[in-house]
Amino acid sequence: MRVRVGQGFDVHRFVEDVERPLVLGGVTFESERALAGHSDADVVAHACADALLGAAGLGDIGQLFPDTDPAWAGADSLELLAEATRQVRAAGWEPGNVDASLVTDHPKIAPMRDEMGRRLSAAVGAPVTVKGRRAEGLGALGRGEGVACWAVAVVTR
Ligand code: MG
């Protein structure tokens, strides 16, 4: 097989923490809320990394960057994404593109969507696109308890 597809999903819950930055797709948003997590909790970068790793058959970022390892505490997830991509290439796969759907009502995604795409694309070295979706008031995401992201990646030999 010379073309493979991978899928990634991630979710992080919101915490009230004015000290902690809210980072999505490598972009820091002005917000009183932040996402809980061992790294900077960038769900978009994490979902993209899992999609790429899955496409290459390399597992997931939990295996690559365990949250028990202090080396990754507060880590910049664009660097985690870049490292995951390096491992994908080391395994002989070239990323084709990644497409992500970010589901949240807060913050507003549209104004920063292209900037997220630019930063994620730079980390991957291939086109990454991001779409923002509202949860329409449904469930935990609709109540604003957290942010979820789905991503799909294609890699080629
Ligand atoms: Mg995560």
Side-chain angles (χ1 to χ4, degrees):
M1 191 82 90
R2 305 191 65 81
V3 178
R4 288 175 54 143
V5 64
Q7 184 263 341
F9 169 75
D10 197 25
V11 61
H12 283 257
R13 67 185 167 79
F14 274 125
V15 288
E16 302 277 341
D17 185 347
V18 290
E19 302 293 311
R20 189 174 162 79
L22 173 59
V23 183
L24 294 168
V27 173
T28 301
F29 287 80
E30 285 295 325
S31 176
E32 286 172 5
R33 276 186 275 175
L35 294 172
H38 185 64
S39 66
D40 63 11
D42 185 341
V43 288
V44 190
H46 295 177
C48 291
D50 265 7
L52 286 162
L53 290 169
L58 294 176
D60 62 45
I61 53 169
Q63 292 169 264
L64 216 54
F65 313 110
D67 63 8
T68 50
D69 186 342
W72 311 117
D76 177 345
S77 294
L78 286 183
E79 287 177 17
L80 305 187
L81 176 58
E83 175 56 28
T85 305
R86 270 192 289 278
Q87 300 211 13
V88 166
R89 288 200 171 92
W93 295 99
E94 180 58 30
N97 77 298
V98 185
D99 185 40
S101 292
L102 174 57
V103 182
T104 187
D105 287 354
H106 171 88
K108 289 213 180 319
I109 300 306
M112 298 307 280
R113 186 168 85 162
D114 292 346
E115 184 60 24
M116 286 189 217
R118 273 191 290 277
R119 294 185 186 195
L120 294 160
S121 299
V124 171
V128 181
T129 43
V130 179
K131 303 184 295 296
R133 276 273 164 218
R134 299 177 62 107
E136 304 294 340
L138 295 172
L141 295 174
R143 290 189 297 272
E145 293 175 16
V147 178
C149 187
W150 284 258
V152 175
V154 164
V155 297
T156 60
R157 273 277 183 220

